Amino acid sequence: MSKKTTRSAKPKVDPDAAPQQQKACAIKKVFYISKKLLNTDDDQRMCLERFYHPGKGQPALFITLQERQIMEVLEYAEPRRSWLLNSEVCSNGRMYMTTPIDPTFLALHHLRKHCAQRAMSLDSISVDEADTSTNRLLTKFINADSLKCVADVKTSGELVFYKYNKDRTLAWLAVKTRQVVSVLKAKQVHCGLGAKSQNFVRSEKIVDDNDVKEVDYLRMACDYVGRYLDANLHAELTRYLDIPSEIQALVEENATAKKRKSQQSQASANSKKIKLANGEDAATQLRNSSLLDSDDNKESITSPPSTLAPLKERTMTAMEKVLAKSAKGSKSIASFFKVK
């Protein structure tokens, strides 16, 4: 007997039909983007670019909008964190946030590196760097007028040359630092050396002017500004603002706390002496007054006796004496039960 085999018909392929595109699943990330970058035309797109970050000492990620705006991309990463996006779970739990930045901080590193001894144009600096990102940063995003606060500007025809000026730079950075101090005070950020929990503060005002000094605000503000500076320039700014180190500040604070504690203990001892003297004066006045009996056998109210007086025998009444006399010669009931 012959077996019949059935074969499935192959689908006809239309050679003129366009091939189906397979979309790859893109990596999803959570961004908090400023409205200044979103309220733009459709033809203007945001780009992610890398420029050298002086505070980090390496290229960092920035987001740019054409050649007008540049913002830094901050990354917040915590272990064992993920995002639930619609019906999907995104394993990348990192969060990215855009923050505005003054491009002068980025250009300051290149000015200190190339224009400390001689005046150079921005195009010449880009050639020496041999980096396309540096050329784009200095020629597209840097305003020439903003560099006057950190460099000496010289012109020759249409060419503009810049030479790094240390004094102008430190003065400009000091102004930036004091602006940050104003923001910290307005936001009531605790800037003291000791830790302070906001959850257990009773009053609404978190920052106490008596606990936090002006130098504490300056130190924190200088640290914020120093995140965008080279390490040696940050140290120069700290010395320029005359900010003591944290170790020195801790030593001074401990010395002040010990001095305050000794003063409080001394004041407490003096108050006890004053109270004791007032008590003795009051006792003397009470003794000299006519309120107390002048009998010497009576005890003093102000001080207890040095020795206890012996107990005196109680005098018997007449009835007790009669009963005692009648009971002489009689025997007790227990005597009848004695065994002979």
Side-chain angles (χ1 to χ4, degrees):
M1 296 179 66
S2 62
K3 296 181 180 181
K4 295 183 179 180
T5 58
T6 59
R7 296 181 180 180
S8 59
K10 295 183 179 180
K12 296 182 179 180
V13 179
D14 187 4
D16 298 334
Q20 296 180 357
Q21 296 180 357
Q22 295 181 357
K23 296 183 179 179
C25 182
I27 300 176
K28 295 182 179 180
K29 297 182 179 180
V30 177
F31 266 83
Y32 287 89
I33 302 178
S34 174
K35 293 182 179 180
K36 296 180 180 180
L37 298 176
L38 296 177
N39 296 333
T40 58
D41 299 335
D42 295 336
D43 57 344
Q44 297 179 353
R45 296 183 179 181
M46 294 176 291
C47 298
L48 290 174
E49 302 184 46
R50 290 189 178 273
F51 300 109
Y52 183 83
H53 196 293
K56 299 179 180 179
Q58 61 183 0
L61 197 62
F62 294 85
I63 189 169
T64 60
L65 179 62
Q66 296 295 324
E67 298 174 356
R68 297 182 304 167
Q69 294 184 1
I70 177 173
M71 289 190 177
E72 182 185 7
V73 178
L74 300 179
E75 178 183 352
Y76 296 93
E78 294 183 359
R80 297 179 296 276
R81 178 182 289 272
S82 59
W83 291 100
L84 182 61
L85 304 177
N86 297 329
S87 60
E88 298 180 3
V89 177
C90 181
S91 60
N92 185 7
R94 300 181 180 182
M95 179 176 60
Y96 301 89
M97 181 182 298
T98 60
T99 177
I101 183 175
D102 190 349
T104 308
F105 285 99
L106 304 179
L108 184 58
H109 166 76
H110 302 285
L111 291 176
R112 295 180 70 247
K113 182 178 179 181
H114 299 278
C115 304
Q117 302 297 332
R118 56 176 180 172
M120 296 179 62
S121 62
L122 298 180
D123 296 334
S124 301
I125 297 175
S126 303
V127 172
D128 292 348
E129 286 286 345
D131 188 4
T132 56
S133 62
T134 304
N135 183 21
R136 178 171 170 78
L137 172 68
L138 296 178
T139 57
K140 302 298 182 181
F141 296 99
I142 299 299
N143 187 5
D145 295 334
S146 64
L147 296 180
K148 294 180 180 179
C149 57
V150 295
D152 297 329
V153 182
K154 299 179 181 180
T155 59
S156 177
E158 296 181 355
L159 298 177
V160 183
F161 300 92
Y162 301 92
K163 186 178 181 180
Y164 171 71
N165 191 316
K166 179 180 178 180
D167 297 334
R168 287 187 179 183
T169 301
L170 292 177
W172 176 71
L173 293 175
V175 173
K176 291 287 187 181
T177 303
R178 291 187 175 90
Q179 290 177 354
V180 177
V181 169
S182 302
V183 175
L184 293 176
K185 291 182 178 180
K187 298 293 184 180
Q188 295 183 349
V189 179
H190 179 68
C191 300
L193 295 176
K196 194 170 186 179
S197 175
Q198 183 177 353
N199 298 329
F200 299 98
V201 176
R202 294 182 180 179
S203 61
E204 295 181 357
K205 186 177 181 181
I206 301 174
V207 179
D208 190 359
D209 296 336
N210 297 327
D211 297 338
V212 183
K213 300 179 182 179
E214 186 68 22
V215 67
D216 296 330
Y217 285 107
L218 273 177
R219 182 183 294 104
M220 180 169 286
C222 185
D223 291 339
Y224 277 120
V225 176
R227 294 179 182 180
Y228 299 92
L229 303 176
D230 295 322
N232 53 0
L233 183 57
H234 183 201
E236 292 179 2
L237 178 61
T238 304
R239 291 191 297 267
Y240 181 82
L241 296 174
D242 196 14
I243 301 176
S245 61
E246 292 187 2
I247 298 177
Q248 183 180 355
L250 286 173
V251 171
E252 293 178 357
E253 186 177 359
N254 292 335
T256 304
K258 291 181 180 179
K259 184 178 180 181
R260 189 186 302 111
K261 186 176 181 180
S262 62
Q263 291 177 354
Q264 291 177 355
S265 60
Q266 184 67 25
S268 177
N270 294 335
S271 63
K272 290 181 180 179
K273 291 180 180 179
I274 294 173
K275 290 180 180 179
L276 182 59
N278 293 336
E280 293 178 353
D281 295 341
T284 304
Q285 293 177 3
L286 185 60
R287 191 183 299 110
N288 296 332
S289 63
S290 59
L291 298 176
L292 295 179
D293 196 354
S294 60
D295 191 0
D296 296 338
N297 296 330
K298 295 183 178 180
E299 297 178 355
S300 176
I301 297 177
T302 57
S303 60
S306 58
T307 58
L308 296 176
L311 297 175
K312 296 181 181 180
E313 186 178 356
R314 187 173 64 86
T315 305
M316 298 177 65
T317 61
M319 182 59 69
E320 290 175 349
K321 290 179 180 181
V322 173
L323 293 175
K325 185 177 180 180
S326 62
K328 288 182 179 181
S330 62
K331 298 181 180 180
S332 63
I333 298 176
S335 62
F336 293 99
F337 298 96
K338 290 182 179 179
V339 180
K340 295 183 180 180

